[in-house]
Amino acid sequence: MGLPEGFRWGVATAAYQVEGAVHEDGRGPSTWDVFAHTPGRVRDGHTGDVACDHYHRWPEDVALMRELGVNSYRFSIAWPRVQPSGSGAANPRGLDFYDRLVDALLAAGIDPAVTLYHWDLPQPLEDAGGWMNRDTAYRFAEFAYRAADRLADRVGMWITLNEPVVVMAYGYAFGVYAPGRTLMLDALPTAHHQLLGHGLAVTALRSRGARRVGLANHYSPAWPADPSSAADRDAALAFDGFMNRMFTDPVLSGAYPDLGALGGPGLAPYVHDLDMSVIASPIDFLGVNYYQPTRLKAPPADGPLPFDMVDVTGYPVTGMGWPIVPDAFLSLLRALRGRYSNGLPPLYITENGCSFPDEVGPDGTVDDTARIEFLDAHIAAMRTAIDDGIDIRGYYAWSLLDNFEWAEGYHPRFGLVHVDYETQKRTPKRSYGWYRDLIAASSK
Ligand code: BGC
């Protein structure tokens, strides 16, 4: 079977990972600026101060995308550019940047897909409690309104949140990402407040004419370490609730999954009247970000979580050490359809990709065969899911450019285009040419 009419082939980036220019045009500080500038937080002290300098080099990057043949570019809007203190009037110079980018993309035949929150919370909001504070949800809706007010007439697709589970887990529970808090299970309210922010933002976006609205979640199939062990199976179920269901069930079915395995009162104390119906506001699509499966075993009796993660063995791995398992991608897509059946909106694969330690060779090329194999196998898995009748309408490779990979700094390279951070020279890798040919062939 072929791809659906109008299938989107895209590439994705996020503001803090590529833009740089952190002090320009009135941008305020974000949690990631503060975190990256705190010694010991990011490998080798790297920061997003310059990143890929996309803020200035976007015309070159748009040209690279036009040449690649993608029909959509997923990028995020830096909230601290639009509202430097996290609330109040919009900073017009911040919005001007995205305005120019959107116009240039449209002129190149590329539909903008905007993510509103890819983890760069304005620092003043963090100082007031961040996502632990319910008020942040309302501030987020206000930001969404201001962004859409300026751009909704030209942006084809809006993604409210990117991977709220990562913000909750890495940012507030384990402290390895900004804002670096180590609240463990006390971080749970950040789940509810982000989802409330999502629901409120859906209404705010639609009120300004946004055409297609959804969110992008991170999914990782949960494998019991020993499938014959009931305790390991329980650990996998608990992880599945935490990782795969907590941010999807409420949006698609209006209720949290059973989080009993986490202990404590769960989310009930934070849920006000009507919150769940706000969170379940109808969306037009679900964004799926997939990288790898996770293997779980029963935790020790005094463990802080109801699961322990163990390595997935027996598969090739990426430069991050992540197992390469395209079949897990297919089973995830099938599981989503099985779980939500008629309530599942159309899916877009909003992120999928891999890092390898790519280098520019003596002949000036970057031979990233392993990335081509990764993308080929995952795209094949997606096509099998489409043949199965799962409604998937687009695929965005992560990422257009090598970029700031959060706590790992500039070490991992996820791009289809190599970036030399000394000179900012962009060198399309072999995978770029491969993706270009794939897009051209599938558009015939
Ligand atoms: C995030 C990206 C990140 C990628 C690779 C996703 O979880 O949305 O920002 O670069 O994974 O780690």
Side-chain angles (χ1 to χ4, degrees):
M1 212 160 47
L3 294 169
E5 186 75 22
F7 190 83
R8 285 170 174 239
W9 287 111
V11 282
T13 65
Y16 191 71
Q17 295 182 273
V18 298
E19 283 180 0
V22 291
H23 300 299
E24 237 157 292
D25 294 331
R27 178 186 181 278
S30 78
T31 48
W32 267 97
D33 296 291
V34 173
F35 187 80
H37 278 274
T38 307
R41 293 305 211 171
V42 176
R43 207 168 140 199
D44 290 336
H46 291 171
T47 74
D49 287 3
V50 179
C52 308
D53 197 27
H54 184 61
Y55 194 77
H56 300 114
R57 291 170 196 265
W58 59 268
E60 182 183 350
D61 295 336
V62 172
L64 279 166
M65 286 186 268
R66 191 183 43 222
E67 184 69 16
L68 182 57
V70 290
N71 54 16
S72 185
Y73 173 39
R74 176 181 175 222
F75 61 95
S76 81
I77 294 187
W79 186 350
R81 289 197 192 282
V82 176
Q83 290 178 300
S85 65
S87 60
N91 164 34
R93 287 181 300 158
L95 280 169
D96 287 348
F97 167 67
Y98 299 105
D99 204 86
R100 289 190 293 269
L101 177 61
V102 161
D103 283 345
L105 287 167
L106 292 174
I110 301 170
D111 193 31
V114 165
T115 308
L116 284 169
Y117 183 62
H118 205 122
W119 310 348
D120 43 1
L121 190 73
Q123 183 61 33
L125 294 185
E126 183 55 35
D127 296 339
W131 288 109
M132 288 296 286
N133 181 351
R134 183 179 168 93
D135 186 58
T136 299
Y138 296 91
R139 300 284 69 76
F140 179 63
E142 187 184 307
F143 159 52
Y145 182 97
R146 296 194 189 288
D149 195 41
R150 183 75 177 268
L151 302 170
D153 56 335
R154 285 157 292 149
V155 167
M157 186 163 161
W158 292 85
I159 294 163
T160 55
L161 305 174
N162 179 70
E163 301 188 348
V165 70
V166 172
V167 173
M168 174 188 72
Y170 285 25
Y172 287 86
F174 310 141
V176 293
Y177 281 9
R181 300 189 66 184
T182 47
L183 300 169
M184 298 308 287
L185 289 175
D186 290 340
L188 273 183
T190 65
H192 185 64
H193 297 153
Q194 288 185 85
L195 284 168
L196 180 62
H198 156 79
L200 294 166
V202 169
T203 305
L205 289 166
R206 294 206 198 282
S207 79
R208 301 321 296 150
R211 277 169 271 157
R212 207 171 334 176
V213 181
L215 85 170
N217 273 323
H218 184 97
Y219 294 100
S220 181
W223 292 355
D226 173 1
S228 69
S229 149
D232 286 2
R233 289 199 307 270
D234 284 349
L237 271 179
F239 177 87
D240 192 43
F242 180 82
M243 171 66 77
N244 298 320
R245 301 187 58 174
M246 201 191 309
F247 294 90
T248 308
D249 286 15
V251 174
L252 298 185
S253 16
Y256 283 108
D258 178 2
L259 298 172
L262 298 179
L267 286 163
Y270 311 101
V271 179
H272 295 196
D273 282 354
L274 305 182
D275 281 5
M276 297 314 291
S277 55
V278 171
I279 291 172
S281 302
I283 52 174
D284 304 302
F285 66 89
L286 177 67
V288 173
N289 293 0
Y290 170 76
Y291 290 90
Q292 57 172 328
T294 308
R295 212 162 145 238
L296 294 310
K297 70 177 174 55
D302 56 350
L305 295 171
F307 47 77
D308 252 12
M309 297 185 209
V310 290
D311 284 347
V312 173
T313 48
Y315 295 91
V317 295
T318 69
M320 303 287 278
W322 296 349
I324 302 174
V325 195
D327 277 357
F329 184 31
L330 176 57
S331 61
L332 150 71
L333 295 167
R334 287 177 171 155
L336 283 171
R337 184 184 45 192
R339 185 170 286 163
Y340 304 106
S341 54
N342 291 341
L344 189 67
L347 304 179
Y348 288 86
I349 310 309
T350 34
E351 279 182 40
N352 178 234
C354 53
S355 80
F356 287 104
D358 305 315
E359 284 173 16
V360 181
D363 62 350
T365 65
V366 183
D367 188 1
D368 59 341
T369 315
R371 177 168 293 98
I372 295 174
E373 286 169 6
F374 180 102
L375 294 174
D376 190 36
H378 286 78
I379 289 170
M382 174 189 73
R383 293 187 90 129
T384 304
I386 293 173
D387 289 345
D388 276 7
I390 301 177
D391 186 359
I392 303 173
R393 304 201 182 167
Y395 176 94
Y396 291 80
W398 184 271
S399 177
L400 170 66
L401 303 168
D402 290 342
N403 60 46
F404 177 79
E405 176 52 28
W406 309 115
E408 293 298 316
Y410 295 101
H411 295 286
R413 292 184 174 272
F414 274 91
L416 299 176
V417 176
H418 181 278
V419 176
D420 177 331
Y421 295 108
E422 299 286 311
T423 60
Q424 291 295 342
K425 182 172 167 27
R426 274 89 163 123
T427 306
K429 302 178 189 176
R430 257 193 70 203
S431 58
Y432 171 99
W434 175 87
Y435 196 43
R436 183 192 54 213
D437 293 349
L438 175 131
I439 295 171
S442 79
S443 312
K444 273 189 192 137

